[in-house]
Amino acid sequence: MRAFVYPSDDFTGRAISKKLTDEGFEVVGETPCTKENESKHCQSFDTKGLSEDQLDVVARSDVVIFSIYGNETASKEAVTHLANLDDGSKHVFIGISTPMTWARTVVPSVEPRSDELKEEDFNGIALTDKDAVRRTPAASARVTLEVENLILRSNKPNLRAHVVCPGILYGNGECDEGFHTLWKSGWEATQKLEVLGSGENIIPTIHVGDLVSYVDFLAKNDPEMGYLLAVDGGYAAQQAIVEGISNSLGAGEIGNIADKELFFRKGVQQLIIHLPMQPSIPEQIMFKSPGLIPSLQAVEKEYLESRNLTPLKILVMGPPMAGKSKLCCTLAARYELKHIDAREILQANAEDEDVQRELSGKGGRVSDQTMAKLCRLMLQGLPVRNRGYILDGWPKTMEQAQALFTTFRPMTPEEVSEKESKASDASDRPGSKGKPPKKGAKNTKQPPENDVPDGLKRVPDLDLFPNFLIRLDAAKEAMERRVQNVMSFEASEFAKLEAGGKPPPSHNNEKDFQRRSQAYLQERQRDDTDLEEKIEEIEAEYQRQTTVFSEAKAKEKELRERMPLRRRKMLEEAMKEKGSLDEELPMKPSFPKYGGFVGFFNGYSHVEEKDNTKDGAFDQLMESIETTLGPPHNYNGFVSSEGDCASRNVTPVDPETLAKLQGDREKELEAISKLLQEEEASIVEERSYNDKLTHQRSQPLKRYLLSEVMPLISMGLIEACTVRPDDPVDFLAQKLLDEANRRSDVYVDPYSSEVYTLQQEKIKAKEIREETRRRKAEEKIARDETARSLAEGRRRLEKEEAERRMTMRRASISTSPKALSPRNTTPIPV
């Protein structure tokens, strides 16, 4: 079957095309022609409707699907074309509309409650497909409503037409016209999410996958109903939706916009409609989502993955002077990520009591547990939680990494029994007690698990775990050369500012460089030793499994030899059917590539090893790393590589320069304030002019209403006050209807007068005369053309006949004897 989808490149069209393609349909997609996509998708530029070629494709399609809202003209032309076909072919037309065609439909309100609204609260209140006859559209959807009614009237034996009115779409990365603005604001975490008005309005919603299920159902089946409401059945208030998105992705705080301010807001109509709806044919469709509120976590995951907004988390490790900070600064600027190092953690928490107490202690250092706690708070805060981070050189050890990137969860019964079994096997295994440690293996084992509470298990915290571990390295000579350069630079910069003073504290000196290099090498030795031990354990386990298998094989062979011959053959045949025992040999183990600190991340993070020995090859290093990381996980893409690197190497500024900068800043702010005042005055003047212009343009309409409408309404209101009927609105409506009928009775159609009839007869007689004159002119032209053709044919025949006679006469004269005699000199007449 062939399906025609229009437009095929928007949010709904892409989802429908993919679903129908998976279901075996041959999908033909079309895109509305615009100046931007004319060369890419369209053969001709036509924004008014469909071309002849497109209508021909529509006629040759079994299922035709149109998004009506915004494509009213094209939808109208397509359904009219299908309705006028008389070739005997059958078609299904599905028009996907918008809830804005119901926007002004009156719905009884539900009493506000503190708890969650339930389905039974809307019994007798929720709108159904039977209420479609009284739907009242918003101003922007009036034409859409007209096209809906045209589609429903087009049902014929050869054309089955349906209109699907979906709720506000969500899921699959979010539709730009739906809740995308809320999700984007929550992800950016730069401002509070705002509730429009009271927030008590019920917004109909549906997952785009469930809308596709509706379309697929209509394409394959033949339900009697023509108008369907495609909603997920969940009654979600606007405030509940905003709070849910804010708690899920944002800071959990919301603001409010008063009703009187909504008039100046654009693109908020879909969020302020109040339309509790019941879905059509829900029992025949398997819904993907129970509703927006219950499935917020899954919808958030779809949004982040579809728009590539998942947090990008990077950990950079390496020896001192390998270029970690420069690389982190550049990556943080390019990818718009938070650059975090040990100094940043301590500066952000300088007022913390634990930090102050430990820094003032004997060692003058902050413990690993406190650093991990503070760093975890930074990683869990906004916007780091949504965007990601770049950790610069911390954590450095296995203990620090475990404290930062792991958490505890209760152990399952299977894990408890497995732990006890391993402990029992280890104690019973020969040589397990009193085994001396390996030479050089001091402090090489992982930290003991005695700090894990009973009944709990240490597991990686995948919400914080880095996606990438960049292991930066450089040659020793290059690092020593860099530390000398940094020392010289810092000394020269300090000498310029404060001669004779004490230089500020810095770890960029020969002693600290050697200390940090030695500590880094010791950690890598621990990694290598841990890797060797893991490989030994894996090899020992493989040998044990091989031994167990060999013993079992030998025992089985011995038992088989003791069996009777007939039973042995039966057993061999059965084993042939199930497969030989040789296939059950233990598989050769795969050995880990890393151990210790790097091995802790391997399996959860992509480990990338880079060399930064060449001083002039940083651009190549960045290009290689960007290829590994991929595009940025944000809306802005790559930005300039000039980030906060300069701010991390700030040199003191002299007071004169600082005062000059402050003065320039004040002048700049004063100029900006003046420009803002002028702009505000211009806006006020323009608004006043627009108000006057609107007032002038409204005068004719005002006079018309005052002369034709307001007297009737005033008389009706006066009579209603006198009579006081039970239903004053119906009474007033009846009065207006009676007046309309009275005016209709006395109304004289100007086209029914005798003068108009005579004029029409004259026009018709003139048309007949012109038609007769035209026909006679055409006949005369045809006669002249025929006569000309006959004359030309006659002349051509006479000429050919004359030539033929001349040729025959010359031939007869040339062959006669008299003509051959030399005495015959009489000339031959021509």
Side-chain angles (χ1 to χ4, degrees):
M1 295 180 68
R2 172 179 287 189
F4 181 90
V5 181
Y6 185 97
S8 60
D9 66 336
D10 67 348
F11 181 73
T12 309
R14 288 192 297 268
I16 293 175
S17 300
K18 183 179 183 303
K19 175 67 174 180
L20 295 182
T21 302
D22 296 341
E23 294 292 329
F25 281 82
E26 178 190 354
V27 178
V28 180
E30 288 291 339
T31 303
C33 297
T34 60
K35 291 182 179 179
E36 288 75 14
N37 68 4
E38 179 179 3
S39 60
K40 297 181 181 179
H41 305 286
C42 304
Q43 298 177 354
S44 63
F45 174 65
D46 179 14
T47 58
K48 296 181 180 180
L50 299 177
S51 63
E52 292 295 333
D53 294 338
Q54 290 173 327
L55 289 175
D56 182 61
V57 176
V58 169
R60 290 185 283 108
S61 301
D62 301 295
V63 180
V64 179
I65 303 167
F66 269 73
S67 292
I68 306 174
Y69 193 51
N71 306 293
E72 288 83 358
T73 303
S75 304
K76 182 178 179 180
E77 291 182 357
V79 71
T80 304
H81 184 70
L82 291 177
N84 293 333
L85 291 176
D86 56 356
D87 56 359
S89 58
K90 293 186 177 181
H91 304 274
V92 177
F93 187 93
I94 303 173
I96 300 175
S97 186
T98 169
M100 299 309 296
T101 57
W102 295 71
R104 299 179 63 186
T105 306
V106 178
V107 182
S109 59
V110 180
E111 294 183 2
R113 296 171 45 178
S114 58
D115 55 346
E116 184 179 356
L117 294 173
K118 299 180 180 179
E119 185 174 353
E120 51 267 20
D121 296 330
F122 295 91
N123 291 337
I125 296 178
L127 299 169
T128 65
D129 46 38
K130 296 180 181 179
D131 296 315
V133 294
R134 66 181 187 91
R135 63 191 187 280
T136 307
S140 61
R142 289 173 182 170
V143 181
T144 308
L145 179 62
E146 295 176 2
V147 178
E148 282 185 1
N149 294 329
L150 174 64
I151 294 173
L152 296 176
R153 292 195 303 266
S154 300
N155 265 302
K156 293 185 177 181
N158 65 331
L159 177 61
R160 179 161 51 86
H162 303 279
V163 173
V164 179
C165 179
I168 307 301
L169 298 177
Y170 65 88
N172 285 11
E174 298 306 313
C175 174
D176 291 339
E177 293 79 18
F179 299 108
H180 175 247
T181 303
L182 291 175
W183 285 105
K184 182 179 179 182
S185 299
W187 181 83
E188 292 177 340
T190 56
Q191 57 185 0
K192 295 180 181 179
L193 271 66
E194 295 175 325
V195 176
L196 308 177
S198 65
E200 297 175 357
N201 56 299
I202 304 300
I203 302 178
T205 58
I206 187 171
H207 193 282
V208 65
D210 294 331
L211 173 61
V212 171
S213 299
Y214 268 90
V215 175
D216 181 56
F217 174 81
L218 294 176
K220 296 178 180 178
N221 299 277
D222 188 11
E224 296 180 358
M225 54 184 62
Y227 195 94
L228 297 93
L229 292 178
V231 294
D232 52 21
Y235 298 100
Q238 181 210 155
Q239 182 167 353
I241 295 174
V242 175
E243 289 179 350
I245 295 176
S246 180
N247 294 330
S248 178
L249 201 59
E253 300 179 355
I254 62 174
N256 184 266
I257 300 177
D259 292 331
K260 60 182 180 181
E261 299 179 12
L262 296 179
F263 179 77
F264 303 100
R265 294 287 181 124
K266 294 182 178 180
V268 300
Q269 286 186 333
Q270 292 190 345
L271 299 181
I272 60 177
I273 57 176
H274 175 63
L275 296 172
M277 291 180 170
Q278 289 183 0
S280 303
I281 55 174
E283 68 279 357
Q284 295 171 292
I285 297 177
M286 296 297 294
F287 279 91
K288 178 180 180 180
S289 171
L292 177 57
I293 301 299
S295 56
L296 267 177
Q297 188 173 0
V299 175
E300 176 189 348
K301 184 178 179 182
E302 291 179 8
Y303 164 71
L304 296 176
E305 293 178 352
S306 299
R307 294 187 178 262
N308 192 31
L309 297 176
T310 53
L312 181 59
K313 298 168 287 189
I314 305 170
L315 171 60
V316 180
M317 62 171 292
M321 292 299 161
K324 300 187 300 298
S325 295
K326 181 179 180 180
L327 175 64
C328 291
C329 288
T330 309
L331 287 176
R334 290 280 284 165
Y335 285 84
E336 292 187 342
L337 300 175
K338 177 69 173 177
H339 180 189
I340 302 174
D341 57 7
R343 180 176 59 180
E344 177 77 15
I345 298 172
L346 293 176
Q347 288 179 351
N349 299 274
E351 304 298 328
D352 187 83
E353 296 180 358
D354 294 337
V355 174
Q356 293 180 351
R357 184 179 65 254
E358 294 180 5
L359 287 176
S360 61
K362 183 178 180 181
R365 289 182 175 274
V366 180
S367 65
D368 291 345
Q369 294 297 329
T370 302
M371 284 288 291
K373 180 189 72 173
L374 300 177
C375 185
R376 176 181 283 268
L377 291 176
M378 294 186 69
L379 300 186
Q380 291 175 339
L382 291 175
V384 177
R385 186 182 68 192
N386 293 340
R387 294 176 178 267
Y389 59 79
I390 294 183
L391 277 173
D392 181 2
W394 201 92
K396 301 178 181 180
T397 66
M398 183 67 178
E399 293 79 5
Q400 294 171 351
Q402 280 196 341
L404 177 59
F405 293 118
T406 61
T407 185
F408 300 106
R409 67 165 175 82
M411 298 180 67
T412 63
E414 293 79 7
E415 291 172 341
V416 173
S417 60
E418 182 181 356
K419 181 179 179 180
E420 294 175 353
S421 176
K422 286 184 178 180
S424 176
D425 292 344
S427 61
D428 296 340
R429 194 175 302 162
S432 62
K433 297 181 181 180
K435 184 178 179 180
K438 241 180 113 179
K439 185 178 179 181
K442 184 178 179 181
N443 294 329
T444 59
K445 294 294 290 181
Q446 308 291 344
E449 293 293 332
N450 54 11
D451 60 335
V452 180
D454 293 337
L456 298 180
K457 182 179 181 180
R458 186 190 295 272
V459 293
D461 190 347
L462 299 182
D463 292 334
L464 301 181
F465 230 81
N467 310 120
F468 295 91
L469 172 62
I470 300 177
R471 188 176 181 181
L472 201 62
D473 207 346
K476 184 177 180 181
E477 296 78 8
M479 293 188 291
E480 291 176 348
R481 183 174 64 253
R482 290 170 187 167
V483 74
Q484 294 296 332
N485 294 337
V486 172
M487 290 170 58
S488 301
F489 175 78
E490 290 183 348
S492 62
E493 289 297 313
F494 179 76
K496 293 178 183 178
L497 299 175
E498 191 175 348
K502 185 178 180 181
S506 172
H507 61 234
N508 295 321
N509 54 70
E510 187 69 27
K511 181 179 178 181
D512 282 344
F513 171 73
Q514 294 296 339
R515 175 183 60 80
R516 291 187 292 149
S517 298
Q518 187 65 25
Y520 180 81
L521 291 176
Q522 289 179 356
E523 288 299 323
R524 302 293 74 79
Q525 290 176 0
R526 289 181 61 187
D527 296 347
D528 296 339
T529 304
D530 181 70
L531 178 61
E532 293 176 2
E533 292 179 356
K534 287 182 178 179
I535 293 176
E536 289 180 0
E537 291 178 0
I538 294 173
E539 288 179 342
E541 180 64 20
Y542 176 71
Q543 292 295 334
R544 186 186 68 81
Q545 293 179 1
T546 304
T547 302
V548 171
F549 174 79
S550 301
E551 293 175 355
K553 188 75 174 177
K555 186 178 296 185
E556 180 186 357
K557 183 178 180 181
E558 182 181 355
L559 292 174
R560 197 183 307 168
E561 290 176 352
R562 295 179 182 178
M563 290 181 182
L565 181 62
R566 183 177 177 181
R567 187 176 177 185
R568 190 189 311 168
K569 289 183 178 181
M570 292 175 60
L571 181 61
E572 290 176 355
E573 291 177 359
M575 291 179 61
K576 279 183 179 180
E577 294 178 359
K578 295 181 179 181
S580 175
L581 277 179
D582 294 338
E583 299 177 0
E584 299 179 3
L585 277 170
M587 295 180 61
K588 290 187 177 181
S590 59
F591 298 106
K593 186 178 179 180
Y594 305 101
F597 181 82
V598 181
F600 171 74
F601 294 97
N602 192 30
Y604 300 97
S605 307
H606 175 80
V607 180
E608 188 75 12
E609 299 182 0
K610 298 294 180 182
D611 184 77
N612 191 27
T613 299
K614 296 182 180 180
D615 292 335
F618 184 76
D619 291 340
Q620 290 81 351
L621 174 65
M622 277 295 302
E623 183 178 353
S624 173
I625 292 178
E626 287 180 1
T627 303
T628 302
L629 299 180
H633 296 198
N634 56 42
Y635 282 95
N636 302 324
F638 283 112
V639 295
S640 173
S641 59
E642 298 179 0
D644 60 345
C645 296
S647 65
R648 291 176 176 264
N649 298 282
V650 177
T651 56
V653 183
D654 59 288
E656 294 181 0
T657 304
L658 184 59
K660 183 179 179 181
L661 291 174
Q662 290 177 349
D664 294 342
R665 180 61 177 168
E666 291 177 357
K667 292 180 181 178
E668 183 180 355
L669 291 176
E670 185 178 353
I672 293 174
S673 176
K674 186 177 180 181
L675 288 174
L676 290 176
Q677 291 177 0
E678 293 177 356
E679 184 177 358
E680 185 176 356
S682 175
I683 292 174
V684 171
E685 183 179 357
E686 182 179 0
R687 187 178 299 170
S688 175
Y689 172 77
N690 291 336
D691 292 341
K692 293 180 180 179
L693 185 62
T694 303
H695 178 72
Q696 293 176 0
R697 291 177 177 176
S698 64
Q699 290 305 309
L701 179 60
K702 182 178 180 181
R703 287 194 295 270
Y704 167 75
L705 293 175
L706 290 174
S707 62
E708 298 293 335
V709 180
M710 292 306 298
L712 301 177
I713 295 179
S714 300
M715 291 175 61
L717 292 175
I718 293 172
E719 191 171 350
C721 292
T722 304
V723 179
R724 295 192 178 184
D726 296 336
D727 191 347
V729 176
D730 184 67
F731 177 82
L732 180 60
Q734 187 62 40
K735 285 294 180 182
L736 295 176
L737 183 60
D738 294 342
E739 180 63 21
N741 293 334
R742 186 189 66 78
R743 292 191 177 190
S744 177
D745 293 339
V746 300
Y747 175 74
V748 178
D749 188 0
Y751 297 106
S752 62
S753 64
E754 184 178 356
V755 176
Y756 181 77
T757 305
L758 292 174
Q759 186 66 22
Q760 287 292 102
E761 291 177 355
K762 290 180 180 180
I763 294 173
K764 190 172 183 180
K766 182 179 178 181
E767 291 177 352
I768 293 174
R769 289 196 302 272
E770 291 178 352
E771 178 66 22
T772 304
R773 190 180 300 111
R774 184 187 61 78
R775 187 170 62 254
K776 288 181 178 181
E778 291 178 353
E779 291 175 356
K780 184 176 181 303
I781 293 172
R783 288 197 304 272
D784 294 345
E785 186 69 26
T786 303
R788 190 181 301 109
S789 299
L790 292 175
E792 290 179 357
R794 190 181 300 111
R795 286 194 297 270
R796 187 171 58 256
L797 291 175
E798 291 175 355
K799 184 178 179 180
E800 291 176 355
E801 182 65 22
E803 290 177 354
R804 185 180 63 79
R805 289 179 181 179
M806 181 60 68
T807 302
M808 292 178 62
R809 184 175 181 183
R810 287 177 179 174
S812 62
I813 293 174
S814 63
T815 56
S816 64
K818 187 176 181 179
L820 297 175
S821 174
R823 293 176 293 179
N824 187 9
T825 58
T826 306
I828 300 173
V830 179

